């Protein structure tokens, strides 16, 4: 998130005609609030209104789901776990992500 905020602000400055060195100089002393204010006041960009994929990036995790099936040997109904890849565009820093996806840090051996 912090890197993307910096990069978005940096490239807005550079595309407006500021040199790369000047852009770096302007940004190195700003915090997140300062970068947000700079983008809004100079370029009319409200960073919080940008799509999450642009602000948060992508997180790829395994997600498990139950699947109903039939055992081909015995023809009895079975329930299995199916693993699939899920792409999320979310904040992984806050507690909400880790409460919803605690299995991300579990070892599967």
């Amino acid at each position: 998130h912090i890197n993307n905020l910096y990069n978005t602000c940096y490239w807005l400055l550079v595309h407006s005609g500021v040199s790369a060195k000047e852009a770096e100089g302007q940004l190195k002393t700003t915090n997140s609030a300062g970068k947000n204010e700079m983008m809004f006041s100079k370029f009319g960009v409200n960073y919080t209104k940008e799509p999450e994929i642009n602000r948060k990036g992508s997180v790829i995790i395994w997600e498990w789901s139950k699947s109903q099936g039939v055992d081909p040997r015995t023809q009895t109904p079975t329930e299995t776990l199916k693993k699939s890849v899920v792409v999320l565009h979310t904040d992984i820093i806050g507690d909400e992500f880790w409460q919803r996806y605690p299995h991300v840090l579990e070892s599967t051996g």
Side-chain angles (χ1 to χ4, degrees), residues 12-24:
L12 284 169
L13 287 166
V14 170
H15 289 293
S16 75
V18 173
S19 75
K21 189 171 184 170
E22 290 171 326
E24 289 175 13

Side-chain angles (χ1 to χ4, degrees), residues 70-76 78:
V70 176
D71 184 326
R73 295 169 294 163
T74 63
Q75 299 303 311
T76 57
T78 62

Side-chain angles (χ1 to χ4, degrees), residues 1 4-5 8 36-37 39-40 43-56:
H1 165 71
N4 191 57
L5 178 62
T8 302
N36 278 304
E37 177 58 31
M39 284 193 290
F40 189 74
F43 307 105
V45 173
N46 184 342
Y47 189 73
T48 61
K49 301 280 185 190
E50 292 294 306
E52 276 199 337
I53 190 171
N54 296 348
R55 291 182 290 117
K56 306 292 185 181

Side-chain angles (χ1 to χ4, degrees), residues 60-65 81-87 103:
I60 301 171
I61 64 169
W62 289 111
E63 189 78 320
W64 294 91
S65 60
L81 289 175
K82 180 181 175 187
K83 185 164 87 168
S84 56
V85 174
V86 177
V87 178
H103 65 279

Side-chain angles (χ1 to χ4, degrees), residues 62 64 83 103-109:
W62 289 111
W64 294 91
K83 185 164 87 168
H103 65 279
V104 169
L105 296 179
E106 294 174 1
S107 174
T108 58

